[in-house]
Amino acid sequence: MSETTKQFNIHDYLREYMFPHFLCPGCGHGIALRALLWAIDELEIDKDRLAFVCGIGCSGRLGAYIDANTFHVTHGRPLAFATGLKLARPDLEVIVITGDGDCLAIGGNHLIHACRRNLNITCMMLNNEVYGMTGGQVSPTTSSERYTTTTPYGNHEPVFDACALAEAAGASMVGRELTLQTPGLKDVLKAGLAHDGFSFIEVMSDCTEVFGRKNELGNSAEMVLTQKASVRPDFLEDAVDQPFHPHQIKTGVLAKSDRPEYAESWRRYVASMKKERADA
């Protein structure tokens, strides 16, 4: 059935016995999950081939609701677990769901090496600028001057540009989209899933109850519309020395390259070594 006639039914991918979900009213993470499952549905990936690896935090809890093979692992380690899983089971479609704190703070080292190795893994990082589930602490993506429980006088640390980091570390596909742009987010995630190599997708989500309330950013609709207003398609085109700012962002597929996928390269090397020894 073609994509134009096929109807996506999210209930086909959910463990409904796990509901009601734990997400706060207005949280963008549920929209991101819908976009991801929509992309999977359009690519017609068999659920038995799906393996989701999730870390700690609001983002990490999403795996509990997906009717597939799911792993809920220790804080900051989903990419490390996913690396071992993909090497052991190359037949699986391995997808990591992580958050800005889980992925960029305690998990930052695992991220750069996952990008460097270029394993065929898709990483969806949900960026709501805060540790929402564990008390509202500052994260590497918290906007300048924003208040959190650990920055009561405003955040004075520079913001991490996660996509620039992933590209520099070697990720062969990098993208970013807003939860407000759900069809566009689905398309970026679909491109990541179809890509043969490490795909890093940053999703600009919102934390209304913790981050938004503390910073008086309004309700969820107001927060996502502010995000929408910040999108600048021409940003950095002619100003390469201009520092990244979370309120001037580019979306869509930001970088894509073809380079050897790690597991396949390793298997070819092992096969060649076996042949050498057999011929010796």
Side-chain angles (χ1 to χ4, degrees):
M1 188 178 293
S2 70
E3 291 180 12
T4 55
T5 58
K6 183 177 180 181
Q7 296 296 312
F8 167 55
N9 184 0
I10 194 172
H11 296 278
D12 294 339
Y13 294 90
L14 296 177
R15 294 171 176 155
E16 294 189 321
Y17 62 86
M18 294 292 293
F19 283 72
H21 61 74
F22 88 107
L23 299 172
C24 298
C27 176
H29 287 11
I31 300 172
L33 177 61
R34 178 180 179 83
L36 177 58
L37 297 176
W38 188 7
I40 289 167
D41 186 72
E42 288 195 353
L43 290 170
E44 299 183 341
I45 303 171
D46 189 334
K47 286 198 293 183
D48 289 338
R49 287 185 50 240
L50 287 169
F52 293 86
V53 185
C54 304
I56 301 300
C58 299
S59 61
R61 294 289 294 274
L62 293 182
Y65 307 116
I66 305 172
D67 184 23
N69 304 297
T70 57
F71 302 84
H72 191 197
V73 303
T74 48
H75 193 200
R77 311 294 186 243
L79 282 166
F81 278 82
T83 295
L85 178 60
K86 187 63 181 181
L87 287 171
R89 290 290 304 273
D91 57 306
L92 294 177
E93 187 73 44
V94 179
I95 301 167
V96 169
I97 302 177
T98 183
D100 47 295
D102 187 56
C103 185
L104 295 175
I106 190 171
N109 192 49
H110 296 301
L111 172 64
I112 61 175
H113 292 295
C115 295
R116 176 177 66 91
R117 292 187 178 106
N118 198 41
L119 265 166
N120 190 14
I121 293 171
T122 301
C123 176
M124 180 176 76
M125 190 196 81
L126 302 175
N127 179 7
N128 59 9
E129 301 191 44
V130 73
Y131 284 83
M133 191 183 75
T134 56
Q137 300 92 337
V138 68
S139 91
T141 61
T142 302
S143 297
S144 177
E145 305 302 323
R146 294 299 189 199
Y147 299 103
T148 71
T149 55
T150 49
T151 57
Y153 303 107
N155 178 32
H156 299 287
E157 294 184 348
V159 178
F160 234 148
D161 182 343
C163 289
L165 171 66
E167 183 181 359
S172 53
M173 190 275 182
V174 177
R176 179 192 289 124
E177 193 50 90
L178 317 177
T179 55
L180 180 65
Q181 306 279 51
T182 311
L185 175 56
K186 178 264 296 180
D187 289 339
V188 174
L189 289 166
K190 188 175 175 182
L193 289 163
H195 178 68
D196 185 19
F198 187 77
S199 302
F200 179 82
I201 315 297
E202 179 182 21
V203 181
M204 304 302 292
S205 187
D206 66 281
C207 176
T208 307
E209 292 297 308
V210 179
F211 188 70
R213 187 187 297 271
K214 195 170 190 69
N215 287 282
E216 300 181 348
L217 299 176
N219 59 31
S220 180
E222 291 170 320
M223 289 182 71
V224 295
L225 286 173
T226 300
Q227 287 180 346
K228 170 63 176 175
S230 72
V231 174
R232 291 272 305 280
D234 60 341
F235 182 60
L236 295 183
E237 288 295 330
D238 301 314
V240 293
D241 59 338
Q242 186 171 351
F244 171 77
H245 193 283
H247 301 301
Q248 295 176 311
I249 58 175
K250 292 184 70 173
T251 59
V253 176
L254 306 181
K256 191 172 182 181
S257 62
D258 292 320
R259 66 186 189 89
E261 195 273 335
Y262 179 79
E264 184 57 35
S265 298
W266 182 251
R267 285 190 290 271
R268 283 200 301 268
Y269 172 74
V270 170
S272 69
M273 292 297 292
K274 286 181 177 179
K275 185 176 185 305
E276 262 187 41
R277 292 179 180 179
D279 293 343

